[in-house]
Amino acid sequence: MSDWQVKYKSTVKDRGARGILKLREGMLLFVPNDPNSDSKLKVLTPNIKSQKYTKEGSNKPPWLNLTNKQARSHIFEFENYQDMHACRALITKALAKCEEEPNKPAAVLTSAEQLSIADLELRFKVLRENSELQRLHKEFVETKVLTEDEFWATRKKLLGKDSIRKSKQQVGLKSMMVSGIKPSTDGRTNRVTFNLTSEIIFQIFAEKPAVRQAFINYVPSKMTEKDFWTKYFRAEYLYSTKNTAVAAAEAAEDEELAVFLKPDEILAQEARQKIRRVDPTLDMEADQGDDYTHLMDHGIQRDGTMDVVEPQNGQFRRSLLQDLNRHAAVVLEGRNIDVDSEDTRSVAEALARVKQVSKADGETTKDANQERLARMSRVAEMEDLQAPQNFPLAPLSIKDPRDYFESQQGNVVNEPRGAGTLKRNVHEAYGSLKESILEIRTKGLSDPLIKPEVAFEVFRSLTQTISTAKNIIGKNPRESFLDRLPKSTRDEVLHHWTSIQELLKHFWSSYPITTTYLHTKAGKLKDAMSNSYSQLEAMKESVQSELRHQLSLLVRPMQQALDAAFQHYDADLQRRAAKSARGSAGEANGSV
Amino acid sequence: MATVASKLYSDDGSLLVLLLDTNPLFWSNTSTTFSQFLSHVLAFLNAVLGLNQLNQVVVIATGYCSCDYIYDSSLTLSGNSESGRTGMPALFASFLEKLEDFIVKDEELIKEQEHDERIASSLLSGSLSMALCYIQRVFRSGHLHPQPRILCLQGSPDGPEQYVAVMNSIFSAQRLMVPIDSCYIGTQNSAFLQQASYITGGVHHAPKQLDGLFQFLTTIFATDLHTRSFVQLPKPVGVDFRASCFCHKKTIDMGYVCSVCLSIFCEHHKKCSTCGSVFGQSKLDGASTVSEKKRKAPDS
């Protein structure tokens, strides 16, 4: 397929061996130039786990670092970035291809034989990590209650976590600003060199629509692409020297250059349009008043010098904030065109098209101003100038707070005792009460106040109350009954709970029964469930007597859930029997 | 010197406000006599006063028609030793005198009342309010005061008609961080007292043996609040959270609540009898009929 001249290193510090990197069907080959070298390499593409590469513009040579599944890395140093990117693109494609392949048969045939080894390994791994799952698997799959696939079908999530493979994420833009591209000087002459890549060009076009427009207008009719970029960077250079006087002079001489130095008209128009869409109640001019960067000693530090806005020649200056905002907007928009070509012109045109479309979206209505006015009046609605909105309102009218309770006593259920007898009783009672007081006043406190046996009995009963309350509530309220069970019983209860859940999940998911396969499955599950039902009973009997009541409380919901399943199973069976009887009596319908 | 002492002991000096149930209807129907009960209580009060020099005891009688302060240990002069014929301390003599006066007054009040159709409950809401008023006055007296707590010695059943008043007192006590301990000596269960102790963080206990009341009182209710954190006290297994409805004064566990004034009703009304809000058709009824229909559909 493709060959590249590269230097192969097994580690970063390795000096490397020169050779040829070949990409063939399903593998990557490195053949060293020196036939004696032992650095011959063959990497199967499916084994490649990740690839890293040095960024353009960094001072490192173009390296491609491939990591294989055994976490070994292979570093290839290319002669230039273009080669590296080309190779990288091909590897990515190959990787994507071989990742798709194992999925295909799995989608068509889901029987165990067709499973890829990777999937089986994954299942093994999940089982190894989760002992509870392993126990369930052992209990149900190995006893053939559930098939392997049925077991895993409900746990796709566990398997899926590792197998999210293809990311559809688009490559975004670098966050480096275009103005951050610094020329390299050779130090001897006054020549400065700008390195331009298609990525940078894209960024420039996206951030500066005026440059894009100028490119479409001038290239190739008026000047060559090279001239265009020379002019552009000259303008950038002038700009970066911050010598606005020179910039103004040059702009006056060269109108094409002036295009680059002048504020971007297209951007300004877009900005005006955006401002029109701002909430009309927001006073943008007031915000502008807050800007004090033009004052002495104010401004933003940039490249070591103060970025002071000078009033004269202001049109040749762009503020850092403008640049930053524009750049941020472009980065956020991302790469929204699919043109991945080296042809600068087509990139520019594609971008211009995208802009036009979004612009058209923006102003579908001609009477935008009209709409703006309408919105203004809608937003600026003053609450206190509106007619009162009359919601149906019922004031809380408790006229007499006693109403809250006392005046409604009319319907009080009368005491069974009659009023008269009560009255007499009351007076008798008062009499006896007074007698009691008289008695204590004459006789004094009863002596002895309390009998020792009674006091002992009180202590005993109190101790019992406190200890039983502790038993029921637990030492702290969080502690549950489970913690008081012996460990083996506790584990058994928990295991029963999970296994019953598993069985019930499969049982209910097999309804409605439409195939004979589901029918046998439901039958198998029902048998397994009645098995665990009897196990629950046995467990209840085996446990200590004082724990039995609590345990049966724990077990009851499980048994109830199982009962519901049994009931459904029987009802369904009966209905089917009736149906088949009817079916055989009448004419044979199509089988289900 | 005195100020130093009070500062040192201010964390375990306690102000015990005892609410004494003097409902004649209860005492005429119970196994123990009021005099036996009183001797237990008097001994308990004496014990509390003896526990700490700074302890203070206030007794409020909860009568059938009224409530009143019976005794305040801070007001009795210690020098006054009128140890009468019975050899009883002055403290108890004045206590019993006041109590007798109170009962006579209470009886007079019942004569004035014409409609005697109330349940034989005591005026718990009244005595709780009086206790809280007293405690509030103590709080405002300065920073150095004994830690207040309320102990309800109640025997008569709850009066559902006092529900709102009692609950308001309970919530006030909760705000003041005053625990309401309760000792229920009646035969039924007092939801009021259970809730009061639960909400305010007090202790609720219903002793079964009334002849051992003194033992119960000293074991459970004599400890000051600071000491309580170290003592295992009986904890209720459950709390009766039921409320009473406004329309029939029944104690209910499920009912209808007015969305405007939060009145509670045991049955659906067209209009709130408290605030007059008109209720719409209950959604619940509609929903249940729908689900009824739904449930029937597959069978037919």
Side-chain angles (χ1 to χ4, degrees), chain B residues 3 29-30 44 48 56 67 94 114 176 184 193 201 205 207 224 233 240 244 253 257 271:
Chain B
T3 53
N29 285 329
T30 192
F44 169 66
V48 169
Q56 191 191 338
C67 317
S94 73
E114 284 310 310
L176 290 175
Y184 187 72
L193 294 184
H205 193 69
D224 61 90
L233 292 173
D240 187 353
S244 356
D253 48 10
V257 177
K271 199 175 156 192

mmCIF file of all heavy atoms in Angstrom, chain B residues 3 29-30 44 48 56 67 94 114 176 184 193 201 205 207 224 233 240 244 253 257 271:
data_model
loop_
_atom_site.group_PDB
_atom_site.id
_atom_site.type_symbol
_atom_site.label_atom_id
_atom_site.label_comp_id
_atom_site.label_asym_id
_atom_site.label_seq_id
_atom_site.Cartn_x
_atom_site.Cartn_y
_atom_site.Cartn_z
ATOM 1 N N THR B 3 -21.554 33.134 93.038
ATOM 2 C CA THR B 3 -21.603 33.158 91.572
ATOM 3 C C THR B 3 -20.672 32.113 91.003
ATOM 4 O O THR B 3 -20.990 31.461 90.018
ATOM 5 C CB THR B 3 -21.212 34.544 91.037
ATOM 6 O OG1 THR B 3 -19.958 34.895 91.610
ATOM 7 C CG2 THR B 3 -22.252 35.571 91.357
ATOM 8 N N ASN B 29 -60.978 5.926 89.300
ATOM 9 C CA ASN B 29 -61.106 4.659 88.577
ATOM 10 C C ASN B 29 -59.820 3.857 88.540
ATOM 11 O O ASN B 29 -59.700 2.922 87.759
ATOM 12 C CB ASN B 29 -61.536 4.927 87.131
ATOM 13 C CG ASN B 29 -62.995 5.301 87.058
ATOM 14 O OD1 ASN B 29 -63.776 4.844 87.868
ATOM 15 N ND2 ASN B 29 -63.331 6.153 86.110
ATOM 16 N N THR B 30 -58.833 4.259 89.274
ATOM 17 C CA THR B 30 -57.557 3.580 89.132
ATOM 18 C C THR B 30 -57.241 2.721 90.351
ATOM 19 O O THR B 30 -57.868 2.846 91.399
ATOM 20 C CB THR B 30 -56.444 4.606 88.866
ATOM 21 O OG1 THR B 30 -55.295 3.908 88.459
ATOM 22 C CG2 THR B 30 -56.114 5.415 90.103
ATOM 23 N N PHE B 44 -40.192 11.743 95.449
ATOM 24 C CA PHE B 44 -39.390 11.978 94.242
ATOM 25 C C PHE B 44 -38.921 13.427 94.180
ATOM 26 O O PHE B 44 -37.750 13.718 93.909
ATOM 27 C CB PHE B 44 -40.218 11.613 93.016
ATOM 28 C CG PHE B 44 -39.613 12.047 91.717
ATOM 29 C CD1 PHE B 44 -38.410 11.495 91.270
ATOM 30 C CD2 PHE B 44 -40.224 13.014 90.928
ATOM 31 C CE1 PHE B 44 -37.857 11.894 90.078
ATOM 32 C CE2 PHE B 44 -39.671 13.408 89.732
ATOM 33 C CZ PHE B 44 -38.483 12.852 89.317
ATOM 34 N N VAL B 48 -35.150 14.906 94.099
ATOM 35 C CA VAL B 48 -34.612 15.789 93.063
ATOM 36 C C VAL B 48 -33.981 17.012 93.701
ATOM 37 O O VAL B 48 -32.882 17.446 93.324
ATOM 38 C CB VAL B 48 -35.718 16.186 92.065
ATOM 39 C CG1 VAL B 48 -35.242 17.296 91.154
ATOM 40 C CG2 VAL B 48 -36.152 14.993 91.254
ATOM 41 N N GLN B 56 -34.199 23.014 91.016
ATOM 42 C CA GLN B 56 -35.411 23.748 91.331
ATOM 43 C C GLN B 56 -36.587 22.935 90.812
ATOM 44 O O GLN B 56 -36.493 22.315 89.752
ATOM 45 C CB GLN B 56 -35.370 25.119 90.644
ATOM 46 C CG GLN B 56 -36.446 26.058 91.101
ATOM 47 C CD GLN B 56 -36.510 27.281 90.203
ATOM 48 O OE1 GLN B 56 -35.546 27.608 89.527
ATOM 49 N NE2 GLN B 56 -37.656 27.949 90.209
ATOM 50 N N CYS B 67 -55.826 24.677 85.362
ATOM 51 C CA CYS B 67 -54.471 24.307 85.746
ATOM 52 C C CYS B 67 -53.944 25.427 86.629
ATOM 53 O O CYS B 67 -54.356 26.579 86.487
ATOM 54 C CB CYS B 67 -53.542 24.212 84.547
ATOM 55 S SG CYS B 67 -54.231 23.400 83.136
ATOM 56 N N SER B 94 -47.153 22.901 102.578
ATOM 57 C CA SER B 94 -47.659 23.981 101.735
ATOM 58 C C SER B 94 -48.107 23.430 100.389
ATOM 59 O O SER B 94 -49.092 23.889 99.805
ATOM 60 C CB SER B 94 -46.590 25.051 101.557
ATOM 61 O OG SER B 94 -45.587 24.570 100.691
ATOM 62 N N GLU B 114 -71.937 23.991 82.004
ATOM 63 C CA GLU B 114 -73.204 23.300 81.847
ATOM 64 C C GLU B 114 -73.087 22.044 80.988
ATOM 65 O O GLU B 114 -73.698 21.038 81.271
ATOM 66 C CB GLU B 114 -74.254 24.245 81.239
ATOM 67 C CG GLU B 114 -74.793 25.248 82.246
ATOM 68 C CD GLU B 114 -75.243 24.595 83.561
ATOM 69 O OE1 GLU B 114 -76.005 23.612 83.505
ATOM 70 O OE2 GLU B 114 -74.799 25.042 84.638
ATOM 71 N N LEU B 176 -37.658 25.734 72.035
ATOM 72 C CA LEU B 176 -36.920 26.192 73.215
ATOM 73 C C LEU B 176 -35.878 25.169 73.644
ATOM 74 O O LEU B 176 -35.138 25.413 74.571
ATOM 75 C CB LEU B 176 -37.889 26.417 74.370
ATOM 76 C CG LEU B 176 -38.842 27.596 74.244
ATOM 77 C CD1 LEU B 176 -39.804 27.608 75.407
ATOM 78 C CD2 LEU B 176 -38.059 28.898 74.224
ATOM 79 N N TYR B 184 -46.542 7.911 81.764
ATOM 80 C CA TYR B 184 -47.978 7.685 81.613
ATOM 81 C C TYR B 184 -48.403 6.529 82.506
ATOM 82 O O TYR B 184 -47.939 5.396 82.344
ATOM 83 C CB TYR B 184 -48.314 7.398 80.154
ATOM 84 C CG TYR B 184 -49.793 7.317 79.910
ATOM 85 C CD1 TYR B 184 -50.577 8.468 79.944
ATOM 86 C CD2 TYR B 184 -50.415 6.096 79.679
ATOM 87 C CE1 TYR B 184 -51.934 8.406 79.746
ATOM 88 C CE2 TYR B 184 -51.777 6.027 79.476
ATOM 89 C CZ TYR B 184 -52.533 7.188 79.509
ATOM 90 O OH TYR B 184 -53.881 7.127 79.326
ATOM 91 N N LEU B 193 -48.406 12.212 74.653
ATOM 92 C CA LEU B 193 -47.163 12.178 75.422
ATOM 93 C C LEU B 193 -46.055 11.493 74.641
ATOM 94 O O LEU B 193 -44.902 11.912 74.688
ATOM 95 C CB LEU B 193 -47.391 11.461 76.757
ATOM 96 C CG LEU B 193 -48.331 12.181 77.723
ATOM 97 C CD1 LEU B 193 -48.407 11.449 79.042
ATOM 98 C CD2 LEU B 193 -47.884 13.612 77.954
ATOM 99 N N GLY B 201 -37.255 15.163 72.305
ATOM 100 C CA GLY B 201 -36.083 14.416 72.753
ATOM 101 C C GLY B 201 -36.122 14.051 74.220
ATOM 102 O O GLY B 201 -35.072 13.915 74.857
ATOM 103 N N HIS B 205 -42.121 6.910 79.272
ATOM 104 C CA HIS B 205 -42.222 5.579 79.839
ATOM 105 C C HIS B 205 -43.598 5.397 80.460
ATOM 106 O O HIS B 205 -44.166 6.335 81.000
ATOM 107 C CB HIS B 205 -41.141 5.350 80.884
ATOM 108 C CG HIS B 205 -41.029 3.908 81.265
ATOM 109 N ND1 HIS B 205 -40.547 2.957 80.406
ATOM 110 C CD2 HIS B 205 -41.357 3.257 82.397
ATOM 111 C CE1 HIS B 205 -40.576 1.777 80.990
ATOM 112 N NE2 HIS B 205 -41.066 1.930 82.201
ATOM 113 N N PRO B 207 -44.954 3.049 83.146
ATOM 114 C CA PRO B 207 -44.722 1.966 84.111
ATOM 115 C C PRO B 207 -45.987 1.154 84.340
ATOM 116 O O PRO B 207 -47.097 1.682 84.337
ATOM 117 C CB PRO B 207 -44.294 2.703 85.378
ATOM 118 C CG PRO B 207 -44.796 4.077 85.222
ATOM 119 C CD PRO B 207 -44.847 4.360 83.759
ATOM 120 N N ASP B 224 -30.252 14.479 85.518
ATOM 121 C CA ASP B 224 -30.265 15.761 84.805
ATOM 122 C C ASP B 224 -29.860 15.535 83.350
ATOM 123 O O ASP B 224 -29.387 14.460 82.972
ATOM 124 C CB ASP B 224 -29.328 16.752 85.501
ATOM 125 C CG ASP B 224 -27.907 16.257 85.509
ATOM 126 O OD1 ASP B 224 -27.186 16.567 84.553
ATOM 127 O OD2 ASP B 224 -27.543 15.526 86.464
ATOM 128 N N LEU B 233 -31.443 4.818 79.027
ATOM 129 C CA LEU B 233 -32.828 5.017 79.455
ATOM 130 C C LEU B 233 -33.738 4.236 78.526
ATOM 131 O O LEU B 233 -33.375 3.972 77.375
ATOM 132 C CB LEU B 233 -33.162 6.509 79.409
ATOM 133 C CG LEU B 233 -32.405 7.346 80.444
ATOM 134 C CD1 LEU B 233 -32.649 8.812 80.221
ATOM 135 C CD2 LEU B 233 -32.819 6.948 81.844
ATOM 136 N N ASP B 240 -46.683 6.548 68.607
ATOM 137 C CA ASP B 240 -48.021 6.677 68.040
ATOM 138 C C ASP B 240 -48.146 8.080 67.443
ATOM 139 O O ASP B 240 -48.246 9.056 68.166
ATOM 140 C CB ASP B 240 -49.044 6.473 69.170
ATOM 141 C CG ASP B 240 -50.454 6.433 68.640
ATOM 142 O OD1 ASP B 240 -50.628 6.702 67.436
ATOM 143 O OD2 ASP B 240 -51.368 6.122 69.418
ATOM 144 N N SER B 244 -55.711 13.826 65.529
ATOM 145 C CA SER B 244 -57.167 13.769 65.620
ATOM 146 C C SER B 244 -57.771 14.618 64.523
ATOM 147 O O SER B 244 -57.221 15.642 64.150
ATOM 148 C CB SER B 244 -57.682 14.264 66.958
ATOM 149 O OG SER B 244 -56.655 14.562 67.813
ATOM 150 N N ASP B 253 -55.423 7.617 61.638
ATOM 151 C CA ASP B 253 -54.077 7.479 61.088
ATOM 152 C C ASP B 253 -54.032 7.807 59.611
ATOM 153 O O ASP B 253 -52.970 7.902 59.020
ATOM 154 C CB ASP B 253 -53.501 6.084 61.346
ATOM 155 C CG ASP B 253 -54.474 4.991 60.995
ATOM 156 O OD1 ASP B 253 -55.505 5.321 60.374
ATOM 157 O OD2 ASP B 253 -54.216 3.836 61.346
ATOM 158 N N VAL B 257 -56.493 16.313 54.387
ATOM 159 C CA VAL B 257 -55.927 17.537 54.937
ATOM 160 C C VAL B 257 -56.288 18.695 54.018
ATOM 161 O O VAL B 257 -56.123 18.598 52.804
ATOM 162 C CB VAL B 257 -54.396 17.420 55.059
ATOM 163 C CG1 VAL B 257 -53.811 18.714 55.557
ATOM 164 C CG2 VAL B 257 -54.031 16.286 55.982
ATOM 165 N N LYS B 271 -66.420 21.235 51.602
ATOM 166 C CA LYS B 271 -65.930 22.547 51.981
ATOM 167 C C LYS B 271 -65.200 22.408 53.310
ATOM 168 O O LYS B 271 -65.637 21.641 54.178
ATOM 169 C CB LYS B 271 -67.142 23.469 52.141
ATOM 170 C CG LYS B 271 -66.815 24.930 52.098
ATOM 171 C CD LYS B 271 -68.111 25.724 52.134
ATOM 172 C CE LYS B 271 -67.858 27.102 52.666
ATOM 173 N NZ LYS B 271 -69.072 27.807 52.996
#
